[in-house]
Amino acid sequence: MAAQPVSVLITGANRGLGLEMVKQMLEAPHPVRKLFACCRNPDGPRAEALRTLAKKHPNIISIIQLDATDLCSIKQSAQQVDSLVGTGGLNLLINNAGFLAKGTLQETSPEDMKITFDTNVIGPMNIIKEFLPHLRAAAKASKMSGMSSSKAAVIGISALLGSMESVKESYSFLPAISYRISKAGLNMLTLCAAEELKMDEILVSALHPGWVRTDMGGEGGDIDAQESVQGMLSVISSLTEKQNGAFLDYKGKTIPW
Ligand code: NAP
């Protein structure tokens, strides 16, 4: 079995795929030791399931307030993690929080575009930057050679809709112009960060979770969150430097940019 990360941070961990990641990481044969479950409103009704999990696993889960559109909250969350993470640093950062607006070109307003870009691109970029010292600390502290998610890695939860090559086939099914542009932006961020951070031996990849039955994916999705997350966690644990800067689906298949 591949080595597992000791410390993991997940954004948007209060529902959907993020919450399922938290659940499965706790149930794993070798559960993570520190799980920073971030959400924008830890005391709100949408974080109830996460709070219940945190009460059951107080030594593993820390719920951290993080709004991906708010740089102050990202900086504060990085400071909070600093005081909890120790010298081993942060092994795995999962930029999962995301926002979907569904409009066509003619329906999409500048405001739709701004909030989607803020959440899906600028947020992940700021989060990578603010947590970089923790990721670098993990890479330095690790005795493993090469790159892996148990050493130091950033995973961006992207989407097939961000694939430029898929537009002709998928556009009429779901236009979602601002979402598509933002996920294409997240993919470029992934490639640039992978290039820039390889000298620190920090792996950066993007994953498509499949079309999943969550609030975002709706009831018509192909798979449930459990299947998607099982697949993604297995892919994440198998990543090496060969997949640095890769765009893969939850089964490990390469997706064209
Ligand atoms: P979801 O059920 O709608 O959950 C979205 C999560 O993102 C929630 O925890 C939400 O928190 C959080 N979030 C939204 N804006 C945020 C912000 N500004 N700051 C912090 N957190 C924020 O969606 P999901 O299906 O789990 O999606 C997770 C990821 O997978 C997203 O990046 C999405 O684009 C991607 N994805 C999903 C599908 C699918 O079929 N479901 C397909 C492709 C890609 P609140 O509760 O506070 O709103």
Side-chain angles (χ1 to χ4, degrees):
M1 204 188 92
Q4 297 303 308
V6 171
S7 57
V8 178
L9 183 143
I10 303 168
T11 65
N14 58 307
R15 61 188 171 99
L17 293 170
L19 181 64
E20 183 61 29
M21 285 179 203
V22 172
K23 284 183 189 160
Q24 291 194 22
M25 283 185 182
L26 292 168
E27 287 161 5
H30 299 281
V32 296
R33 274 187 248 154
K34 287 178 188 145
L35 189 36
F36 303 107
C38 300
C39 59
R40 57 182 158 177
N41 191 359
D43 300 322
R46 280 175 162 178
E48 202 179 330
L50 180 60
R51 288 196 297 272
T52 305
L53 275 178
K55 270 189 200 138
K56 269 195 208 157
H57 304 275
N59 297 328
I60 301 178
I61 300 182
S62 303
I63 301 182
I64 310 260
Q65 197 278 334
L66 186 159
D67 182 335
T69 63
D70 177 358
L71 182 56
C72 279
S73 107
I74 296 171
K75 283 183 185 281
Q76 278 170 8
S77 67
Q79 278 170 8
Q80 228 178 315
V81 168
D82 192 38
S83 62
L84 296 167
V85 81
T87 51
L90 179 67
N91 299 118
L92 175 59
L93 162 60
I94 304 182
N95 269 318
N96 164 73
F99 177 75
L100 165 70
K102 288 188 176 162
T104 61
L105 175 63
Q106 294 174 74
E107 289 159 354
T108 298
S109 66
E111 288 69 32
D112 291 334
M113 192 62 222
K114 279 183 191 146
I115 182 69
T116 312
F117 212 75
D118 267 355
T119 312
N120 296 352
V121 187
I122 301 176
M125 184 189 79
N126 284 332
I127 292 166
I128 296 173
K129 283 169 68 178
E130 295 303 325
F131 283 90
L132 197 49
H134 306 324
L135 292 159
R136 281 194 177 123
K140 275 205 177 134
S142 171
K143 293 184 174 60
M144 286 176 273
S145 59
M147 288 179 173
S148 70
S149 61
S150 47
K151 182 174 179 176
V154 177
I155 302 298
I157 304 302
S158 184
L160 182 62
L161 295 186
S163 160
M164 301 204 194
E165 286 192 35
S166 83
V167 175
K168 276 190 186 165
E169 294 151 32
S170 65
Y171 192 74
S172 58
F173 169 68
L174 185 62
I177 263 224
S178 56
Y179 184 74
R180 286 176 183 273
I181 296 171
S182 74
K183 291 296 188 181
L186 177 67
N187 288 349
M188 182 56 94
L189 171 67
T190 300
L191 280 169
C192 295
E195 224 23 63
E196 198 166 318
L197 303 186
K198 69 181 179 196
M199 67 179 87
D200 294 307
E201 299 193 321
I202 299 169
L203 184 151
V204 188
S205 300
L207 285 188
H208 166 57
W211 181 18
V212 194
R213 292 187 289 273
T214 59
D215 291 341
M216 185 184 290
E219 288 174 3
D222 290 330
I223 53 173
D224 58 21
Q226 199 185 3
E227 183 177 351
S228 168
V229 169
Q230 254 167 19
M232 287 197 286
L233 295 185
S234 162
V235 172
I236 290 171
S237 72
S238 73
L239 297 174
T240 69
E241 51 278 11
K242 285 186 193 147
Q243 289 84 32
N244 190 37
F247 182 20
L248 306 169
D249 74 4
Y250 71 104
K251 292 180 175 168
K253 194 173 145 236
T254 296
I255 299 182
W257 296 109

